[in-house]
Amino acid sequence: MAEASRWHRGGTSKHKLHYRNEVEIRTTLQELLLYFIFLINLCILTFGMVNPHMYYLNKVMSSLFLDTSVPGEERTNFKSIRSITEFWKFMEGPLLEGLYWDSWYNNQQLYNLKNSSRIYYENILLGVPRVRQLKVRNNTCKVYSSFQSSISECYGKYTSANEDLSNFGLTSNSEWRYSTSNTNSPWHWGFLGVYRNGGYIFTLSKSKSETKNKFIDLRLNNWITRGTRVIFIDFSLYNANVNLFCIIRLVAEFSATGGIITSWQFYSVKLLRYVSYYDYFIASCEITFCIFLFVFTTQEVKKIKEFKSNYFKSIWNWLELLLLLLCFVAVSFNIYCNIQIFLLLGQLLKSTEKYSDFYFLAYWHIYYNNIIAITIFFAWIKIFKFISFNKTMSQLSSTLSRCIKDIVGFAVMFFIIFFAYAQLGFLVFGSQVDDFSTFQNSIFAQFRIVLGDFNFAGIQQANHILGPIYFITFIFFVFFVLLNMFLAIINDTYSEVKADYSIGRRPDFELGKMIKQSYKNVLEKLRLKKAQKDEDKKTKDSRDLAEQARREGFDENEIQKAEQMKKWKERLEKKYYSEEIQDDYQPVTQQEFQDGTKYKMRFSECLTKI
């Protein structure tokens, strides 16, 4: 015992360790409180950017321009357009009727025709709509020699190199002449290609009759040709009731295989940011966000200087750096969007007789919203850093850290099989089934199969032999074998972690216990609750357990042995897993070794009886 005491005197004193734990607890709680204030401010800021009316405005506009059928043909609307004839019917029917609302439901005149149309009587049409076409040149693809006698023209798919820049048709009018782009709008990423700005452009008139005559003239003079690859219909609206702009783009892509593929974009954005008192409150939250960003950046710079390379060994520090980077990107996007709105919005609103290109502003505003959404996602994830001291969260993090090597090895095997099936599905069913039309679609389709969402009838119809074989083997190997292996890896590791925690390997402190203990201390100081000594509490708990054991049928001898084993376990845990004495060398005495052996033997006897 004297030898043990001599080694023990070299350790950290109990008072110093207790003080160090108190400082660590107080620092963690201060950081948690400060971060919660930041998170609340960020939530207010992000939710202040989003308006529930955005969804309803998009829904109303999409139902008007996408779902309205052509007169006399109930099944023909913009979504179902498949031919040039149907496209012109849409242009002269639902599009024309949807853009021009010049009278009330009782045919009473609403306003002077010089003013803009008011769609649904509430949404003012900004400027005039624009229709833009992109074409490809003839002989942009090669015809096989055997067919050259019967096929003299060949129009390939759209690329910037294949684009036709020459004038055609009635060259006296602007819509028959190629026009270069004079806007900063980004290129459009469609289903069949990436389309740049410019093209053969014409703007509609403020008069409904003039616009209809224009459509008829273009149709009769074959404005749409075999080389046409895409047509864009762009226009913008503003609703003063909810202070929202709605930027609309309808796209009709003309495939080289024939037919038309339609798509659309409806962007409801709030370009006039600061109008009401609530908007100014959001502005104050933005300023507070920048202050928090400066404080957190200063803290991380100090940590990097203090810990140097060791700083980058923690995953939480990497998450902190990622969050700061996203915050800086979000601030940069916000500044850029506000500058562009300040420079362009006034000019766009003045040009009532021309097309007002709000697409550029809406595009960057949507990107800003996406950056903010990703930022707040990682901001919520960071909360795990503070609650990881909790027992449950510590078990979760320990489980993931222990099994990461096994999961990586499993992932290699899983994705080898997964991608093999994805390529098999793409090659066998790609020309028949929409879910396997591309390699990317095949990957997503297989994830949907794992979740129970699949089209077995389409697979079977595409190939009566390989379809069922593909489906059954994929379900067996991926769903029944590989996924259960993945769960087994996590389950076994979690069992090991729980076993370690059961013998005393717990985190240094748990945030929940800290907050609970602080709450009890406050109540005791305010004399709202009587202080209870630890020994009295332990005695009371022991008596309650003994009474419960008697009620369940255990005899006195078994209860006494259980209490003795519990005392041995507490003594051993206090000696070897103490939270008060850390990083000290503690040799085992002969008496302690005998106590540990007895505890182990008694514990084994109890397990054998069970």
Side-chain angles (χ1 to χ4, degrees):
M1 292 294 293
E3 185 71 10
S5 299
R6 183 171 65 84
W7 281 103
H8 176 68
R9 283 196 298 270
T12 308
S13 65
K14 179 178 179 180
H15 176 72
K16 289 183 179 180
L17 282 170
H18 180 72
Y19 175 76
R20 189 170 67 184
N21 285 340
E22 288 292 332
V23 172
E24 189 174 3
I25 291 171
R26 186 165 58 252
T27 303
T28 302
L29 288 176
Q30 289 175 353
E31 291 181 358
L32 179 60
L33 180 61
L34 181 65
Y35 187 74
F36 264 118
I37 297 174
F38 165 76
L39 190 59
I40 292 172
N41 178 81
L42 184 59
C43 289
I44 294 174
L45 190 150
T46 52
F47 284 117
M49 295 165 44
V50 180
N51 191 330
H53 294 289
M54 291 179 176
Y55 167 75
Y56 296 113
L57 182 57
N58 286 340
K59 184 178 179 180
V60 167
M61 292 300 130
S62 62
S63 64
L64 176 62
F65 292 103
L66 301 181
D67 300 329
T68 304
S69 301
V70 173
E73 300 181 18
E74 296 181 357
R75 296 184 178 180
T76 304
N77 52 33
F78 184 77
K79 293 180 179 179
S80 64
I81 290 175
R82 293 297 178 266
S83 66
I84 298 176
T85 303
E86 293 177 351
F87 178 80
W88 282 119
K89 288 181 179 180
F90 167 78
M91 296 285 283
E92 299 172 18
L95 179 65
L96 199 65
E97 296 297 328
L99 288 175
Y100 295 94
W101 294 59
D102 51 5
S103 61
W104 194 245
Y105 60 87
N106 59 356
N107 295 324
Q108 181 181 354
Q109 196 74 16
L110 284 177
Y111 46 81
N112 194 317
L113 290 177
K114 293 182 179 180
N115 296 328
S116 297
S117 172
R118 286 173 172 78
I119 300 175
Y120 278 120
Y121 313 114
E122 302 293 344
N123 306 281
I124 185 171
L125 183 64
L126 301 176
V128 292
R130 183 187 69 178
V131 180
R132 179 167 64 96
Q133 175 188 183
L134 293 177
K135 299 172 56 181
V136 295
R137 301 187 309 273
N138 186 16
N139 297 323
T140 50
C141 50
K142 188 175 181 180
V143 180
Y144 188 66
S145 57
S146 301
F147 292 95
Q148 288 181 356
S149 59
S150 58
I151 300 177
S152 59
E153 296 179 340
C154 185
Y155 297 89
K157 66 179 182 179
Y158 177 86
T159 62
S160 57
N162 293 341
E163 186 175 356
D164 189 1
L165 306 180
S166 61
N167 301 333
F168 75 105
L170 306 176
T171 56
S172 58
N173 297 329
S174 60
E175 58 267 19
W176 303 91
R177 299 194 300 267
Y178 185 88
S179 302
T180 57
S181 174
N182 55 0
T183 63
N184 297 322
S185 296
W187 291 13
H188 182 87
W189 191 352
F191 288 115
L192 304 178
V194 179
Y195 307 98
R196 65 179 186 176
N197 298 319
Y200 303 91
I201 302 171
F202 72 93
T203 56
L204 306 187
S205 171
K206 287 183 175 293
S207 171
K208 181 177 179 181
S209 59
E210 291 181 7
T211 301
K212 186 172 183 178
N213 293 332
K214 188 73 171 180
F215 285 158
I216 295 174
D217 180 66
L218 293 175
R219 174 170 55 84
L220 295 177
N221 289 282
N222 295 325
W223 187 68
I224 300 177
T225 66
R226 285 185 58 193
T228 301
R229 287 295 170 261
V230 66
I231 294 179
F232 298 96
I233 305 170
D234 297 299
F235 54 96
S236 304
L237 313 171
Y238 176 69
N239 189 307
N241 300 334
V242 292
N243 188 26
L244 289 178
F245 289 81
C246 185
I247 291 83
I248 301 174
R249 168 169 287 184
L250 307 179
V251 185
E253 296 180 75
F254 294 73
S255 173
T257 61
I260 300 176
I261 299 175
T262 57
S263 59
W264 49 86
Q265 292 177 342
F266 292 83
Y267 293 149
S268 290
V269 294
K270 187 177 181 180
L271 298 180
L272 300 176
R273 298 283 300 280
Y274 310 111
V275 177
S276 63
Y277 291 111
Y278 181 72
D279 295 334
Y280 288 108
F281 170 70
I282 297 299
S284 66
C285 291
E286 292 176 347
I287 297 174
T288 307
F289 174 79
C290 294
I291 296 174
F292 272 113
L293 182 58
F294 175 77
V295 172
F296 290 151
T297 304
T298 306
Q299 290 179 351
E300 295 307 310
V301 170
K302 290 181 179 178
K303 289 180 182 179
I304 293 175
K305 290 182 178 180
E306 180 180 356
F307 298 104
K308 297 181 179 178
S309 60
N310 292 328
Y311 173 87
F312 300 98
K313 294 181 180 180
S314 172
I315 187 65
W316 296 115
N317 293 336
W318 282 103
L319 178 61
E320 188 75 41
L321 292 177
L322 175 61
L323 186 58
L324 289 177
L325 177 63
L326 290 172
C327 289
F328 277 110
V329 173
V331 171
S332 303
F333 267 70
N334 189 22
I335 295 174
Y336 179 77
C337 290
N338 287 332
I339 291 175
Q340 293 298 324
I341 290 172
F342 176 77
L343 295 176
L344 300 177
L345 188 60
Q347 299 177 5
L348 294 174
L349 294 177
K350 288 180 181 177
S351 57
T352 57
E353 300 296 330
K354 299 180 180 179
Y355 167 70
S356 300
D357 189 5
F358 285 89
Y359 187 82
F360 172 75
L361 298 178
Y363 179 84
W364 285 106
H365 199 279
I366 293 298
Y367 263 85
Y368 170 63
N369 288 354
N370 294 341
I371 292 295
I372 283 291
I374 298 173
T375 301
I376 197 170
F377 170 79
F378 283 105
W380 278 105
I381 295 297
K382 187 186 170 183
I383 293 182
F384 287 107
K385 173 184 177 181
F386 299 102
I387 65 176
S388 61
F389 299 109
N390 176 268
K391 178 181 177 181
T392 304
M393 294 309 305
S394 180
Q395 287 180 354
L396 176 61
S397 60
S398 299
T399 300
L400 295 178
S401 61
R402 284 194 188 187
C403 67
I404 187 66
K405 293 182 179 179
D406 294 332
I407 290 179
V408 170
F410 166 80
V412 172
M413 178 179 62
F414 175 83
F415 283 108
I416 288 175
I417 298 176
F418 191 84
F419 285 123
Y421 271 101
Q423 192 164 9
L424 173 64
F426 169 60
L427 296 175
V428 176
F429 316 117
S431 61
Q432 303 291 330
V433 184
D434 179 60
D435 292 340
F436 295 88
S437 57
T438 63
F439 185 68
Q440 296 88 340
N441 288 349
S442 300
I443 294 174
F444 292 127
Q446 289 186 162
F447 279 116
R448 289 167 53 191
I449 290 175
V450 172
L451 297 175
D453 180 17
F454 53 85
N455 181 17
F456 177 74
I459 296 173
Q460 187 180 30
Q461 186 177 3
N463 195 307
H464 293 287
I465 299 175
L466 292 179
I469 293 175
Y470 162 85
F471 182 79
I472 293 172
T473 55
F474 178 80
I475 290 294
F476 177 77
F477 286 110
V478 175
F479 189 78
F480 289 110
V481 178
L482 293 180
L483 288 184
N484 283 288
M485 285 179 60
F486 174 74
L487 296 176
I489 291 172
I490 296 180
N491 189 39
D492 290 346
T493 308
Y494 182 71
S495 300
E496 293 176 3
V497 171
K498 288 205 70 175
D500 290 344
Y501 275 61
S502 66
I503 61 174
R505 297 180 184 177
R506 299 182 178 90
D508 296 335
F509 59 93
E510 297 182 12
L511 196 60
K513 290 183 178 179
M514 290 164 18
I515 297 175
K516 187 177 180 180
Q517 186 63 37
S518 302
Y519 174 72
K520 288 183 178 179
N521 293 338
V522 170
L523 292 180
E524 291 174 0
K525 289 181 180 180
L526 296 175
R527 296 182 180 180
L528 298 176
K529 183 178 181 180
K530 293 183 179 180
Q532 185 178 12
K533 296 182 178 180
D534 293 339
E535 294 296 330
D536 296 340
K537 185 178 179 181
K538 288 182 179 179
T539 303
K540 182 179 179 182
D541 293 341
S542 178
R543 290 175 181 174
D544 293 341
L545 290 173
E547 290 296 331
Q548 184 179 356
R550 291 188 183 96
R551 288 195 299 269
E552 292 180 359
F554 292 92
D555 56 26
E556 293 296 329
N557 189 24
E558 290 175 331
I559 294 174
Q560 291 177 1
K561 288 181 179 180
E563 290 178 349
Q564 187 177 7
M565 289 176 63
K566 184 179 179 181
K567 291 179 181 179
W568 282 344
K569 181 175 181 293
E570 291 175 352
R571 285 168 53 190
L572 291 174
E573 287 182 352
K574 185 176 181 181
K575 179 67 178 175
Y576 301 111
Y577 301 103
S578 174
E579 297 178 1
E580 298 176 352
I581 302 176
Q582 301 176 0
D583 304 328
D584 291 341
Y585 178 74
Q586 300 179 9
V588 181
T589 63
Q590 184 177 4
Q591 182 62 35
E592 291 169 341
F593 180 76
Q594 292 176 357
D595 291 343
T597 305
K598 290 180 180 179
Y599 173 74
K600 181 179 179 181
M601 294 174 62
R602 290 288 180 86
F603 188 70
S604 300
E605 291 177 2
C606 292
L607 290 177
T608 304
K609 292 180 180 179
I610 294 173

